Amino acid sequence: PKLPELQPAKIYLIDKPGAAQSVVNIGLPGPPRNTPDYFALQVLNTILGGQFQSRLNANIREQKGYSYGVGSAFNFGHGPGAFRAGGGVVTAKTDSALIAFMQQFRGVQGEVPFTDDEVRQGKQSLIQSLPRRFASVNGLAASVAALFTEGLPQDYYQAFPAKINAVSEAEMLRVAKQYIDLNHLSIVIVGDRATVLGPLKATGIAPVVLLDADGNPVSP
């Protein structure tokens, strides 16, 4: 079915009293598997949050120490998939971590240019992941099945390296701006409301909506 119209960005906060960390999930609808932007999105996301040395994890875990690990992904299907980013962050740094996520999103949209090294490593990470798809009977079956369930050409895996290597930085910038829409993000945070509510409001990133564990609005 057609997606409903996107709504302005909001932070949805679910209270978990006394939680030692906040679980952050940021996302919005993404394109289907048959998008012509698939390969550009794969390279973009590998650099942004798809591997350990990605920008998100390097900044929020390694540099700032707010988390044991954060990341991002584009999920694809026959219909619209989803862009998702997030992870668990220490409660006292929930607002700071959210600010860092936004900074990294803006970074891949042009504020922090891609380096030749990270583009090369991102592409090689994707290409070198191919062999493990065929390293077991289950992996082989899943890889072959994907050709049919996702409507891929028979030479998909043979052509994969060339398709990845052909992705340009201009394409990555374009898809980052197109598919990571900062004005329409849904930001879901489960954490200690008493500690994080005020600082989250102070970020000014988006209005905060209080929900219960079933997603129903609760009074302030």
Side-chain angles (χ1 to χ4, degrees):
K2 184 179 178 181
L3 287 170
E5 185 176 349
L6 293 177
Q7 300 299 308
K10 291 185 180 65
I11 299 171
Y12 299 96
L13 177 60
I14 296 90
D15 191 17
K16 185 71 174 176
Q21 67 174 359
S22 298
V23 177
V24 179
N25 274 289
I26 305 167
L28 75 169
R33 176 61 183 82
N34 63 2
T35 175
D37 295 328
Y38 176 81
F39 295 99
L41 287 168
Q42 291 293 84
V43 179
L44 166 70
N45 185 71
T46 301
I47 294 170
L48 173 63
Q51 57 183 350
F52 185 83
Q53 62 266 41
S54 67
R55 288 187 175 188
L56 282 172
N57 203 53
N59 180 256
I60 295 173
R61 172 195 158 113
E62 297 297 296
Q63 295 171 19
K64 300 183 182 299
Y66 296 163
S67 173
Y68 285 119
V70 295
S72 64
F74 282 89
N75 299 314
F76 298 94
H78 285 284
F83 167 72
R84 295 180 62 186
V89 300
V90 63
T91 294
K93 297 297 183 180
T94 302
D95 57 325
S96 300
L98 185 57
I99 291 170
F101 272 106
M102 299 302 148
Q103 289 172 337
Q104 296 306 315
F105 295 157
R106 290 193 296 269
V108 295
Q109 292 177 342
E111 287 192 3
V112 181
F114 299 111
T115 67
D116 292 341
D117 189 52
E118 67 181 350
V119 172
R120 179 185 58 80
Q121 288 188 11
K123 289 181 176 182
Q124 284 302 306
S125 174
L126 288 164
I127 293 168
Q128 292 173 15
S129 71
L130 273 177
R132 68 172 175 262
R133 290 176 181 249
F134 305 95
S136 67
V137 173
N138 285 341
L140 178 60
S143 298
V144 173
L147 297 177
F148 297 92
T149 59
E150 298 176 10
L152 302 175
Q154 295 292 299
D155 67 346
Y156 171 76
Y157 296 109
Q158 290 93 330
F160 184 87
K163 296 279 190 182
I164 291 295
N165 279 325
V167 172
S168 68
E169 292 184 32
E171 287 179 288
M172 289 191 287
L173 278 173
R174 177 181 60 78
V175 297
K177 293 175 181 178
Q178 180 176 347
Y179 295 108
I180 307 177
D181 183 351
L182 302 185
N183 294 320
H184 295 93
L185 291 174
S186 290
I187 303 165
V188 180
I189 298 176
V190 180
D192 182 13
R193 170 180 162 182
T195 302
V196 306
L197 177 57
L200 285 174
K201 287 182 176 180
T203 66
I205 290 170
V208 179
V209 178
L210 303 176
L211 302 176
D212 65 18
D214 295 316
N216 301 309
V218 299
S219 28

